[in-house]
């Protein structure tokens, strides 16, 4: 028996052929619209008046009149093992990792702790309207196992992989190149492609992997062509100096990853702040993806992501919250800070481009736009019900907003989890998981 439901509200999404440049025109806003979902997939979309005539008799219509219906948000970089360390005071990247993060991540070797913390993490994603995420668990295979179990249970589209790290901290738990290989392989064989889950080979960053371990990452990428690669790149100036010292043969940070053949169209490089033109060029040539993590970059004082360069080199790009260095799970907060990071450099990030990056653009960067990112017929029905009146201030501001663009901008600057009144994953309301 196929399940059909219809959802009524004001619909906003980007069309399949939208890109970062043309997203101002390639979008669709349907006031009083309706989407129909059958077995978790988009069956039709249009004005409520049109669509209602086509519904099979007895179809349940859920009325979100006065709300905005948008695709689920995409967070292209976040850690499932750092929630407890969000908002930790005072340090830049390397000291912050040693002082706060590695000790917290150690707790994830215990399945019981990992289950509770990871469920809280996933619920928090959903409460903020994030339905797709690329995630770093800890070095312990069980932390990834638990994340995939919950993603499987919730039917979410998640990309994740056990963090590989085998050197350079007295505070951390480590794997070895051998266990990194065998555990990653086991996890790939068990989870990659199961329901909506995908695996990412995840060397934490160059400083915590030996050359032998980066070789192992490379080998896994070759042996399993559909898997992703995710890591951190050029986030902090001291980190970059450290990489130079550890890999004296390398001409740049990116060259370390390049040397081990870790670049490609499924490779996600978080931060990518302090890059040379050669590095931008190489990211472009290999079709790799940069993930801009503005709340994290500001919080750790890492630096300002250079939109101008990213555009000049026509890079594939997504947004990431990077919690626990990031300060919010909300992609609205993330886009707000991205706007300010651009403003600090005399650049303007158009509001529709931010929404594009949060939805279809994020999906394209993760090579998932055939499945998610908008409401094209046949796509997976991940969507958010947005309440534009969720706070007195937002309601007050929206009242005088004349255009849709103005409203969306105000939502992004003033909104957060309070704006997400309900989140649907594959056509199923996640209210039970998101409301305590
Ligand atoms: N570089 C290596 N590990 C991390 C991490 O956990 N967070 C951030 N922001 N940068 C990193
Ligand atoms: Zn990170």
């Amino acid at each position: 028996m196929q399940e059909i439901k219809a959802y009524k509200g004001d619909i906003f999404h980007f069309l399949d052929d939208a890109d970062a440049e043309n997203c101002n025109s390639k979008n669709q806003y349907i006031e009083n619209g309706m989407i129909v979902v059958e077995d978790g997939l988009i069956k039709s979309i249009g004005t409520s008046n049109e669509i209602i005539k086509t519904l099979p008799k007895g179809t349940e219509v859920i009325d979100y009149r006065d709300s905005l219906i948008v695709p689920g948000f995409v967070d292209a970089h976040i850690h499932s093992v750092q929630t407890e360390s969000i908002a930790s005071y005072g340090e830049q990247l390397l000291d912050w990792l040693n002082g706060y993060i590695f000790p917290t991540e150690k707790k994830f070797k215990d399945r019981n702790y990992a289950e509770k913390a990871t469920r809280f993490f996933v619920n928090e994603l959903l409460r903020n309207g994030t339905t797709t995420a690329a995630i770093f668990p800890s070095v312990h295979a069980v932390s990834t196992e638990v994340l995939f179990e919950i993603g499987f249970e919730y039917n979410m589209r998640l990309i994740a992989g056990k963090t590989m790290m085998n050197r350079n901290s007295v505070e951390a738990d480590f794997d070895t190149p051998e266990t990194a290989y065998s555990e990653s392989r086991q996890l790939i064989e068990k989870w990659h492609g199961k329901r909506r889950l995908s695996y990412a080979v995840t060397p934490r960053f160059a400083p915590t992997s030996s050359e032998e371990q980066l070789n192992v990452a490379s080998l896994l990428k070759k042996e399993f062509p559909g898997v992703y690669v995710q890591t951190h790149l050029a986030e902090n100036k001291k980190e970059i100096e450290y990489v130079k010292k550890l890999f004296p043969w390398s001409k740049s940070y990116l060259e370390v990853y390049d040397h081990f053949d870790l670049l490609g169209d499924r490779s996600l490089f978080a931060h990518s702040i302090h890059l040379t033109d050669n590095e931008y060029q190489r990211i472009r040539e290999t079709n790799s993806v940069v993930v801009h993590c503005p709340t994290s970059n500001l919080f750790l004082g890492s630096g300002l992501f250079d939109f101008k360069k990213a555009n000049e080199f026509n890079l594939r790009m997504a947004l990431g919250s990077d919690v626990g260095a990031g300060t919010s799970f909300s992609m609205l907060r993330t886009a707000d800070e991205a706007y300010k990071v651009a403003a600090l450099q005399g650049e303007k990030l158009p509001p529709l481009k931010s929404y594009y990056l949060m939805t279809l653009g994020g999906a394209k960067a993760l090579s998932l736009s055939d499945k998610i990112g908008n409401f094209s017929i046949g796509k997976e029905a991940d969507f958010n019900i947005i309440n534009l009146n969720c706070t007195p201030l937002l309601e007050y501001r929206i009242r005088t907003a004349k255009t849709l663009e103005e409203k969306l901008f105000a939502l992004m600057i003033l909104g957060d989890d309070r704006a997400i009144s309900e989140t649907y994953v594959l056509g199923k309301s996640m209210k039970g998981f998101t409301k305590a």
Side-chain angles (χ1 to χ4, degrees):
M1 179 67 184
Q2 305 200 319
E3 193 188 48
I4 303 189
K5 276 188 188 169
Y7 302 88
K8 193 173 162 180
D10 299 332
I11 297 167
F12 178 74
H13 72 146
F14 293 92
L15 302 173
D16 278 327
D17 55 351
D19 60 34
E21 295 320 304
N22 67 15
C23 59
N24 260 34
S25 54
K26 301 273 184 178
N27 61 64
Q28 190 177 33
Y29 176 59
I30 314 175
E31 220 172 330
N32 254 315
M34 187 172 279
I35 51 173
V36 182
V37 176
E38 182 174 34
D39 283 344
L41 305 181
I42 304 292
K43 185 179 163 63
S44 57
I45 174 168
T47 64
S48 176
N49 286 343
E50 272 164 25
I51 298 286
I52 207 141
K53 292 181 217 147
T54 69
L55 295 177
K57 217 169 142 211
T59 303
E60 187 181 352
V61 177
I62 300 167
D63 193 345
Y64 289 117
R65 196 184 316 215
D66 300 327
S67 292
L68 193 59
I69 304 179
V70 299
F73 297 146
V74 177
D75 184 342
H77 183 82
I78 188 166
H79 299 255
S80 56
V81 288
Q82 299 181 2
T83 318
E84 219 176 66
S85 300
I86 193 170
S88 289
Y89 178 78
E91 307 292 352
Q92 287 215 349
L93 177 64
L94 299 174
D95 296 324
W96 172 83
L97 285 171
N98 282 312
Y100 298 115
I101 293 304
F102 293 152
T104 298
E105 292 196 4
K106 270 185 173 178
K107 298 184 186 179
F108 282 79
K109 67 168 165 279
D110 172 42
R111 176 177 261 274
N112 193 29
Y113 177 87
E115 276 176 1
K116 288 198 179 86
T118 306
R119 195 171 291 277
F120 180 85
F121 166 84
V122 176
N123 290 351
E124 202 57 16
L125 285 180
L126 290 170
R127 240 174 39 72
N128 283 275
T130 297
T131 51
T132 293
I135 304 172
F136 284 55
S138 70
V139 69
H140 318 95
V142 70
S143 70
T144 309
E145 189 72 38
V146 159
L147 176 63
F148 279 139
E149 284 167 8
I150 296 171
F152 186 82
E153 178 191 333
Y154 290 12
N155 233 331
M156 283 174 82
R157 198 159 266 297
L158 301 183
I159 297 168
K162 179 201 114 68
T163 297
M164 302 164 71
M165 51 193 285
N166 72 329
R167 65 170 181 169
N168 285 333
S169 172
V170 290
E171 307 298 340
D173 281 348
F174 290 132
D175 55 7
T176 64
E178 293 73 27
T179 59
Y181 179 79
S182 61
E183 290 175 358
S184 301
R185 193 184 166 104
Q186 261 176 16
L187 287 162
I188 292 169
E189 284 168 346
K190 181 164 179 192
W191 293 107
H192 182 65
K194 204 165 186 176
R195 282 201 179 153
R196 306 177 78 201
L197 307 173
S198 300
Y199 198 83
V201 174
T202 306
R204 178 171 213 120
F205 67 156
T208 47
S209 284
S210 63
E211 297 199 9
E212 205 184 343
Q213 183 165 78
L214 291 171
N215 254 324
V216 158
S218 183
L219 183 61
L220 287 163
K221 176 175 179 269
K222 275 196 202 77
E223 286 181 340
F224 299 95
V227 301
Y228 293 80
V229 171
Q230 58 178 354
T231 188
H232 298 86
L233 171 69
E235 175 177 3
N236 172 287
K237 289 198 171 147
K238 278 199 183 143
E239 171 208 14
I240 295 169
E241 276 170 33
Y242 193 28
V243 169
K244 260 196 200 126
K245 224 163 64 199
L246 292 167
F247 301 88
W249 48 263
S250 67
K251 286 195 275 306
S252 69
Y253 194 156
L254 188 71
E255 202 197 340
V256 175
Y257 296 137
D258 206 1
H259 178 84
F260 294 97
D261 197 23
L262 291 171
L263 280 58
D265 62 2
R266 285 177 179 247
S267 297
L268 315 174
F269 293 102
H271 305 285
S272 299
I273 303 173
H274 310 284
L275 297 174
T276 61
D277 279 7
N278 283 340
E279 288 172 294
Y280 284 114
Q281 181 62 32
R282 191 65 193 135
I283 291 172
R284 174 61 275 176
E285 281 166 10
T286 55
N287 237 343
S288 303
V289 174
V290 293
V291 185
H292 177 25
C293 305
T295 74
S296 164
N297 297 342
L298 294 173
F299 179 73
L300 291 182
S302 301
L304 303 178
F305 178 84
D306 194 337
F307 280 98
K308 212 165 152 187
K309 283 282 184 192
N311 287 336
E312 199 184 303
F313 284 88
N314 197 19
L315 299 189
R316 294 173 71 211
M317 177 181 160
L319 290 175
S321 67
D322 195 27
V323 165
T327 50
S328 172
F329 278 79
S330 168
M331 293 313 289
L332 295 171
R333 307 292 340 112
T334 304
D336 168 41
E337 302 283 282
Y339 176 82
K340 293 170 188 164
V341 165
L344 274 168
Q345 298 169 94
E347 294 284 311
K348 281 194 210 169
L349 180 59
L352 293 186
K353 186 163 167 176
S354 299
Y355 283 88
Y356 173 75
L357 290 172
M358 282 186 255
T359 58
L360 185 64
K364 285 189 180 182
L366 298 182
S367 303
L368 290 173
S369 58
D370 55 331
K371 300 183 174 69
I372 56 160
N374 65 2
F375 297 132
S376 290
I377 312 294
K379 284 206 189 169
E380 297 164 354
D382 292 346
F383 55 95
N384 286 318
I385 310 299
I386 304 236
N387 175 9
L388 291 168
N389 301 322
C390 63
T391 67
L393 179 60
L394 189 57
E395 183 178 15
Y396 190 77
R397 175 63 185 87
I398 295 273
R399 227 181 277 158
T400 54
K402 288 183 192 63
T403 62
L404 174 69
E405 207 169 336
E406 218 184 313
K407 282 186 195 174
L408 290 174
F409 186 62
L411 171 67
M412 166 188 132
I413 300 297
L414 302 172
D416 52 31
D417 52 328
R418 291 169 294 181
I420 313 295
S421 47
E422 200 159 349
T423 297
Y424 283 82
V425 170
L426 213 60
K428 183 168 179 260
S429 170
M430 303 310 277
K431 214 165 193 166
F433 300 112
T434 56
K435 301 278 182 278

